[in-house]
Amino acid sequence: MGLYITRTIVELLGGTIRVQSQPGQGAAFTVDLPRESPSGTPSTG
């Protein structure tokens, strides 16, 4: 459930999420977000 919600929010913000995993090593999630919001206005922060 948590990853689904995270993916939904990231995609709404115009970004992507990807995973890299190896058996017995765990998983690493990478989130890429644009510097500007999808509407073209600069994001705050």
Side-chain angles (χ1 to χ4, degrees):
M1 183 70 126
L3 185 55
Y4 174 79
I5 293 170
T6 302
R7 187 182 90 180
T8 301
I9 293 168
V10 168
E11 288 177 351
L12 284 172
L13 292 172
T16 58
I17 186 169
R18 53 194 154 99
V19 63
Q20 185 176 16
S21 67
Q22 300 232 349
Q25 299 293 317
F29 293 88
T30 303
V31 174
D32 292 309
L33 296 172
R35 288 188 176 259
E36 293 186 0
S37 66
S39 65
T41 58
S43 57
T44 59

